[in-house]
Amino acid sequence: NTAEELMLIHLPDNVVKRSASASVSISSDLMGLALQNLDRLVQMPHGCGEQNMVLFTPIVYVLQYLEKTRQLTPAIKERATGFLHNGKYNRSTNVSYVQCYQTQLLYRHRDGSYSVFGQRDGEENTWLTAFVAKSFGHAKKYIYIDDKNIQDALRWLEQSQLPNGCFATKGSLFHSSLKGSVDDEISLGAYVAAALLELGQPLKGKLMQTTFNCLQYAVHNVTNTCTEAVLAYAFALAGDYQTTQELLYKLEEQAIESGGQIHWSPKTSSPASTDFWHSTQSLDIELIAYVLLAYLSKPRLRARDMTTAAGIVVWLTQQQNAYGGFASTHDTVVALQALAKYAARMFSTSGQALVKVKSQRDFGKTFQVTCQKRLLVQHAELTEIPEQFLVQVQGRSCVFAQTVLRYHEPTPQTTVTFSLRVNTELANCSQANMHVLTVRILASYTGSRITSNMVIMEVSLLSGFVLDSGSRMLLERKTIIKKVEVEADVVYIYLDKLSDESQSFILQLEQIIKVKNLKPTVIKIYDYYQPEEQALAVYSAVCS
């Protein structure tokens, strides 16, 4: 009943002086961290129909877990269902905003389907329609969901079924790494099948029977690891032990095991990275979460399966961000679903432990973990960095310890996945007038794929400057731009995708407040679903 582990916190060579801070959090519930941060699991914009669901779906999984483990109090339920209605919560003013459920209906087409940007898109999206339908189906136990929205989506999916039982690929697939592969149709079919079974569609009904006919025919010819993982989960939900086990055996042969951790990677090669920390691709997380779901959903679970699941969970929890989410949107949704399923299976109403965190110098902190306060997340600032900390646990309990390190570093000068060039021209430089700044941005994708996924361009505004309204209208007329959002000091530009062909963007900024010693700021461009693929550029406003 004693365990200990070393946690090493070290800094990169180019860290900005005095910018680093670190903390440790201790809890006895895998879902505790996510529960405390339901409104900020992913630190990314949420301006489209798929991203909006990351505000919605994980909350349902947390509610299901708490209900299953009898930890759902009236206070927690009120707070969580408030998020389902409102999507976000303003902690400083206690004002709810961003109508999450209602917002999702803005991305609905007249035929009951959904797409990333709603009616603005040229076609519906099969994957997103299945995702929304199953999420609404899970949520209707906790908030009012018009059942017509679910039934219309199901009807559209049924009409989109091909003669062979698979589904027509309408709209962009979630990850472009699967586009054009022979497994494309099968991965989508497996995802839709799993979504329909989660929604409670009868396995012996015509829709499910024809879907699994398609999947069963293709299961032996699949070569893509991601597709194998989603297929394994779908067949596990269907109660097909033999096919599930066959797929899991294939996956086990490709598993990467080290230090009690088990994971998989769909990557054949990785571009050279200048990041100090290893950046796990969101596709890796999604793949591994589906493998975990497949193991936990099997009709018959063996002790060996739970040992494998435990190794997966150890790896998966190490990829969580400081708020309990993961790298991007759908990997957060699937990973939290898998972790909630594992936590429910391993739940115990007894146990307590004493946790000590100490450094080699003077730092020392003791935490008491009890089953009565298992959802409590305890925090402490780590005042000595860089440093090596020893975490000691004594007792009988599940203990989840996470260290968080934050620091600033200079803008990197090299990039391998995007090309980003910025030129500025400052007009009206006389003292009597406010300045007008023209920002010209040239961007292209230079990574290993033919095109990127959806791209976000974040233009941080210089202090005292705002985006000209006419400039915004001109941006929105460009075909490649799907949406422009303006926050207080950032302009978010959603791009359909980028290729190796350079795209030009012009922003007109107006100075409304004069600021002395105006500092440069940053433009960031990144692949929304694989945010480790990014580029940064600095711009400023200097009169000649």
Side-chain angles (χ1 to χ4, degrees):
N1 62 352
T2 301
E4 60 181 38
E5 187 165 336
L6 286 172
M7 288 183 166
L8 179 63
I9 295 183
H10 58 296
L11 295 165
D13 295 333
N14 63 340
V15 65
V16 175
K17 288 183 179 180
R18 294 185 294 277
S19 70
S21 64
S23 63
V24 62
S25 63
I26 304 291
S27 63
S28 62
D29 196 300
L30 280 177
M31 305 307 294
L33 195 60
L35 177 63
Q36 286 205 354
N37 297 285
L38 290 175
D39 58 337
R40 50 181 180 175
L41 291 168
V42 179
Q43 303 297 293
M44 301 174 86
H46 300 92
C48 78
E50 185 260 315
Q51 298 158 5
N52 182 63
M53 294 304 290
V54 81
L55 298 172
F56 186 90
T57 310
I59 301 169
V60 180
Y61 296 139
V62 171
L63 281 168
Q64 289 174 335
Y65 164 71
L66 294 175
E67 193 170 46
K68 190 174 291 186
T69 56
R70 298 184 179 180
Q71 297 183 88
L72 186 58
T73 65
I76 293 175
K77 185 174 183 179
E78 182 181 0
R79 177 171 174 256
T81 53
F83 284 137
L84 287 179
H85 280 296
N86 304 310
K88 273 194 174 183
Y89 191 73
N90 189 321
R91 293 164 182 263
S92 59
T93 62
N94 292 333
V95 176
S96 299
Y97 59 100
V98 187
Q99 299 295 318
C100 196
Y101 167 55
Q102 294 297 330
T103 297
Q104 195 58 37
L105 299 181
L106 297 176
Y107 305 108
R108 185 179 185 271
H109 290 247
R110 292 186 181 90
D111 56 11
S113 64
Y114 293 80
S115 67
V116 177
F117 290 99
Q119 298 286 356
R120 292 178 59 184
D121 289 320
E123 62 179 344
E124 306 88 344
N125 190 300
T126 311
W127 175 85
L128 184 60
T129 302
F131 180 27
V132 173
K134 78 158 186 176
S135 299
F136 281 1
H138 286 310
K140 69 179 183 179
K141 183 177 181 180
Y142 305 104
I143 63 169
Y144 172 74
I145 300 282
D146 189 343
D147 193 59
K148 185 177 184 299
N149 291 324
I150 300 172
Q151 297 307 317
D152 286 351
L154 286 174
R155 194 175 301 110
W156 183 87
L157 286 169
E158 193 165 5
Q159 291 169 355
S160 300
Q161 198 167 30
L162 300 170
N164 66 354
C166 284
F167 292 86
T169 306
K170 298 179 181 178
S172 297
L173 259 186
F174 182 70
H175 283 294
S176 69
S177 55
L178 287 179
K179 289 179 183 174
S181 74
V182 294
D183 296 335
D184 189 344
E185 189 178 274
I186 305 305
S187 62
L188 179 63
Y191 180 85
V192 174
L196 293 174
L197 287 173
E198 284 187 38
L199 196 52
Q201 285 294 295
L203 187 59
K204 293 186 177 180
K206 181 184 175 184
L207 178 60
M208 297 311 305
Q209 286 291 302
T210 51
T211 301
F212 275 98
N213 285 343
C214 161
L215 301 181
Q216 192 74 60
Y217 180 78
V219 75
H220 302 293
N221 302 316
V222 170
T223 57
N224 185 287
T225 315
C226 301
T227 307
E228 288 172 346
V230 187
L231 274 170
Y233 177 47
F235 278 103
L237 288 177
D240 187 336
Y241 182 85
Q242 184 176 343
T243 306
T244 304
Q245 198 59 56
E246 180 184 331
L247 287 160
L248 289 176
Y249 281 145
K250 288 174 68 177
L251 286 162
E252 284 172 5
E253 291 174 358
Q254 305 168 65
I256 303 165
E257 299 186 40
S258 176
Q261 301 179 35
I262 304 173
H263 69 283
W264 287 258
S265 178
K267 301 188 294 291
T268 53
S269 61
S270 300
S273 175
T274 57
D275 290 346
F276 178 74
W277 296 103
H278 168 66
S279 183
T280 301
Q281 290 196 8
S282 61
L283 188 57
D284 292 16
I285 295 166
E286 187 181 343
L287 155 64
I288 290 150
Y290 274 121
V291 177
L292 180 57
L293 282 170
Y295 273 106
L296 298 174
S297 304
K298 285 171 60 176
R300 300 192 300 276
L301 261 175
R302 304 167 299 177
R304 178 173 172 267
D305 295 328
M306 291 308 296
T307 302
T308 302
I312 296 171
V313 169
V314 171
W315 184 89
L316 206 53
T317 53
Q318 292 197 14
Q319 316 311 316
Q320 281 183 287
N321 62 32
Y323 305 104
F326 290 83
S328 187
T329 49
H330 200 250
D331 61 331
T332 293
V333 171
V334 183
L336 287 178
Q337 180 185 9
L339 287 177
K341 198 173 185 72
Y342 177 82
R345 187 170 284 276
M346 299 301 292
F347 181 80
S348 172
T349 55
S350 62
Q352 61 179 15
L354 200 65
V355 183
K356 294 180 180 179
V357 181
K358 55 186 180 181
S359 70
Q360 293 179 322
R361 288 180 277 176
D362 300 326
F363 180 85
K365 181 76 175 178
T366 301
F367 303 88
Q368 183 77 39
V369 171
T370 65
C371 58
Q372 290 82 10
K373 294 184 177 181
R374 60 181 298 125
L375 292 173
L376 176 67
V377 181
Q378 303 176 67
H379 299 272
E381 295 299 315
L382 299 176
T383 54
E384 300 168 0
I385 48 175
E387 180 59 286
Q388 182 172 275
F389 294 88
L390 180 66
V391 181
Q392 293 179 318
V393 183
Q394 190 168 24
R396 296 180 65 85
S397 179
C398 166
V399 174
F400 178 48
Q402 183 192 63
T403 54
V404 176
L405 174 65
R406 293 181 171 90
Y407 59 89
H408 294 291
E409 60 181 351
T411 304
Q413 300 301 309
T414 58
T415 180
V416 293
T417 49
F418 286 100
S419 171
L420 181 62
R421 285 178 285 170
V422 181
N423 291 310
T424 58
E425 182 182 328
L426 191 61
N428 224 5
C429 267
S430 66
Q431 292 293 320
N433 296 300
M434 292 296 187
H435 299 158
V436 176
L437 181 69
T438 301
V439 181
R440 291 184 173 85
I441 303 168
L442 205 62
S444 63
Y445 176 70
T446 58
S448 58
R449 292 170 282 135
I450 297 172
T451 65
S452 67
N453 299 297
M454 183 171 68
V455 170
I456 303 291
M457 185 184 294
E458 292 185 8
V459 181
S460 297
L461 298 176
L462 294 161
S463 297
F465 281 82
V466 296
L467 178 67
D468 175 69
S469 57
S471 177
R472 177 175 181 169
M473 290 175 62
L474 289 173
L475 284 171
E476 289 175 334
R477 289 176 187 170
K478 288 180 71 75
T479 306
I480 194 173
I481 294 178
K482 307 299 287 187
K483 188 174 185 178
V484 177
E485 285 185 323
V486 181
E487 299 289 341
D489 56 356
V490 182
V491 178
Y492 296 101
I493 302 172
Y494 292 73
L495 308 179
D496 184 35
K497 59 189 172 186
L498 282 176
S499 66
D500 58 2
E501 181 181 343
S502 292
Q503 297 287 336
S504 176
F505 308 92
I506 299 175
L507 284 75
Q508 200 86 20
L509 306 183
E510 292 182 344
Q511 189 180 42
I512 57 172
I513 301 172
K514 285 192 174 182
V515 177
K516 289 184 178 180
N517 300 319
L518 191 62
K519 302 297 182 186
T521 190
V522 172
I523 295 174
K524 179 180 179 181
I525 189 169
Y526 57 94
D527 187 307
Y528 191 91
Y529 301 114
Q530 293 176 249
E532 65 278 357
E533 296 190 353
Q534 59 176 270
L536 296 168
V538 175
Y539 78 100
S540 58
V542 180
C543 283
S544 57

